[in-house]
Amino acid sequence: MVVIELNQVRLRAFHGVYEGEKLTGSEYEVNVRVGYEEGDSTFDDLKNTINYVEILDIVKQRMRIPTGLLEKVADSIIRKIRHQYPFSTEISISIYKLDAPVENFQGKLGVTLLKKFDG
């Protein structure tokens, strides 16, 4: 299995259930892992693999759409990746809010969603 990874992608977005989050936005960190079976690939053509630049574009486009829950954002990113790369067998995404509006909290809060697919 080959796994394409995007790690610590930093973006500003306007997700959240609280009104203030929708107005001021937050900094987010996104990690994506997309796995596929390489079969007898010789890894000499981009069309035989998953293009990480296209994965990054999918993430950026979806993160621009304000959404209440990060679970919904993660699910829609996974669906789009799977649609574009139907041969993917496993997709995992973590989305962290780096400056969450939680009193007396330092760190990052987030969600991870993992989906596995049959061939």
Side-chain angles (χ1 to χ4, degrees):
M1 174 181 266
V2 176
V3 178
I4 303 299
E5 296 184 71
L6 279 71
N7 288 309
Q8 298 179 346
V9 176
R10 301 264 176 144
L11 302 163
R12 182 155 192 83
F14 295 84
H15 306 303
V17 295
Y18 301 110
E19 206 54 44
E21 294 175 296
K22 297 173 189 174
L23 296 173
T24 60
S26 294
E27 294 298 319
Y28 290 84
E29 178 181 291
V30 180
N31 300 307
V32 181
R33 292 173 46 92
V34 183
Y36 69 96
E37 297 300 331
E38 72 273 16
D40 58 358
S41 178
T42 56
F43 301 110
D44 58 357
D45 192 335
L46 194 54
K47 71 180 180 186
N48 297 325
T49 188
I50 293 174
N51 185 332
Y52 54 79
V53 174
E54 291 178 358
I55 301 298
L56 179 59
D57 287 342
I58 290 169
V59 169
K60 285 180 175 180
Q61 288 173 15
R62 182 56 183 90
M63 289 294 287
R64 287 187 193 117
I65 303 168
T67 306
L69 297 176
L70 295 179
E71 290 87 343
K72 185 171 185 174
V73 177
D75 184 63
S76 62
I77 290 171
I78 288 175
R79 289 177 187 276
K80 177 68 176 175
I81 292 170
R82 175 69 173 165
H83 177 76
Q84 192 157 331
Y85 294 100
F87 58 90
S88 59
T89 57
E90 184 175 303
I91 303 171
S92 173
I93 181 166
S94 297
I95 304 173
Y96 298 103
K97 188 175 287 192
L98 300 180
D99 50 1
V102 176
E103 191 174 328
N104 297 320
F105 176 79
Q106 293 181 344
K108 57 186 179 182
L109 300 172
V111 62
T112 297
L113 186 58
L114 167 65
K115 293 199 178 195
K116 296 182 180 188
F117 308 97
D118 295 328

